Amino acid sequence: MSEPAPGPSRRPPGRPAATRPRRAPRLPHAIRRGARRVDAATPASKDRAVDALRALAILGVVLGHWLVTALVPQDGALRTASPLRQLPWLAPVSWVFQTLAVFFLVGGHVATRSLASARGRGLSYPAWLRSRLTRLLRPVLALLTLWTVAAAALLLSGTPFGTLHTLLKLALSPLWFLLVFAALTAATPLLTRLSPLWPLAVVLHVDVLRFGLHTGPSWLGWVNVAAGWLVPYTLGAAWTRGELETRRAARVLLLGGAAATVLLVTCAGYPASMVGVPGAPISNLNPPTLAAVTFGLAQCGLALLLRDLLRRAMSRPLAWAAVALVNLSAMTVFLWHQTALMTITAATLPAGPLPGLHTRPDGLGWVAARLLWLPVLTAVLALYWAVFRSCEQGTRQRRPAGAGTSGRSRVVHVHRAADRGTTTADHPVRRSPDRPEGLSSDRP
């Protein structure tokens, strides 16, 4: 007798059919999928090397500050110290991580290109400037608000004035850079055709008066704050004009700037460190010296030589998504990285002097310990980034239900409507309203 054919399984009435729970996608897969979306949403005409250079410049400054800045207890208060003072042979660290010239190079290139695009669309200069400065200075309000409250709380709690002065000086030190950058941005219409040789000549004459003839008013060196950073900014404008497209021009900047810097350091008595060292009689950065400017020329030449390599690297979706994310929050990262250092330093003070954090930076042991603290500092900075990044990106408008693009990644969404449509060739690109747009290069 044959066995009856198995029929469909029966279940008691009213009991729902068992369904296998859907597993959430693994994190690496989700990251790769998001990176592919960002990559696909970016216009093919976009020069990704611009964003890559900006991201490298910001991250270089952050890591440089973390590696050469220490907060140590001294005379009942926290004081700043630097390993560069006790270990001057570490000066090459400043050559790698003092990357502000690259940021001004990219800033000048993007601003002049954005201004040309705005004029082509009939946008007035006041409207263009208001849009750019709003995006640049909006994150500053959050920093000032938090530190105003923190300073009041510290004063009321009896914190020594020396400690408060040290903390505020470190926390607000990034603002000088933003003020200079904002001033150059406002002057962009006057700088689109200016040769970098003019501000370079100003820096040269100021230094001759200061260090050669030992004459001039005490404030004379501060002229170089504008003139010194105007050199890479106008190089960015020359890049927009197409004058730096050849590798020969980049090599001239690299080799000429490097040779001039070596001569100034070895023969003219300029410091080897390209950042300020506490207690040093001369700082290359505060205010900028001729050596800092020539070193910046070499950095700009190297950055221009790396463009093709960076374009190839940015063709990888993961690499490009990471760069896009940094660019969306570049000012947030820059403004809060010193606060992250002070937060972890103050929070761990009750645990006693911890190597690489509270101890004096006077040996290789401190350097090794500080390297171990970098992941912790990065995690704290990530927390500040999560809290304050919306201040930089602005309020995102709600999309109507059923629009088909709700939930789109913030990295994909372009919130820079005033600068929309610029490409590497400075030609506007028309995009479908239903197509997600790539990250704009026109960051401040």
Side-chain angles (χ1 to χ4, degrees), residues 82-93 277 361-367:
S82 173
L84 295 175
R85 184 175 184 182
Q86 304 295 331
L87 308 169
W89 51 269
L90 285 178
V93 172
V277 179
D362 54 4
L364 285 178
W366 184 93
V367 176

Side-chain angles (χ1 to χ4, degrees), residues 152-178:
L154 290 171
L155 279 176
L156 293 175
S157 65
T159 301
F161 181 77
T163 295
L164 183 60
H165 177 267
T166 298
L167 296 180
L168 288 177
K169 185 177 180 180
L170 273 181
L172 303 182
S173 59
L175 297 185
W176 74 262
F177 156 78
L178 289 183

Side-chain angles (χ1 to χ4, degrees), residues 36-117:
R36 286 195 295 268
R37 289 182 59 201
V38 175
D39 182 69
T42 304
S45 56
K46 177 180 178 58
D47 189 356
R48 302 185 182 193
V50 174
D51 296 81
L53 287 172
R54 185 191 293 111
L56 289 174
I58 287 293
L59 295 180
V61 170
V62 170
L63 288 175
H65 281 163
W66 285 351
L67 289 173
V68 302
T69 304
L71 287 167
V72 297
Q74 180 181 344
D75 300 329
L78 285 178
R79 309 289 183 184
T80 56
S82 173
L84 295 175
R85 184 175 184 182
Q86 304 295 331
L87 308 169
W89 51 269
L90 285 178
V93 172
S94 67
W95 306 346
V96 176
F97 294 109
Q98 203 288 80
T99 50
L100 284 175
V102 177
F103 194 93
F104 278 96
L105 169 75
V106 173
H109 172 57
V110 170
T112 50
R113 189 180 65 185
S114 171
L115 179 61
S117 175

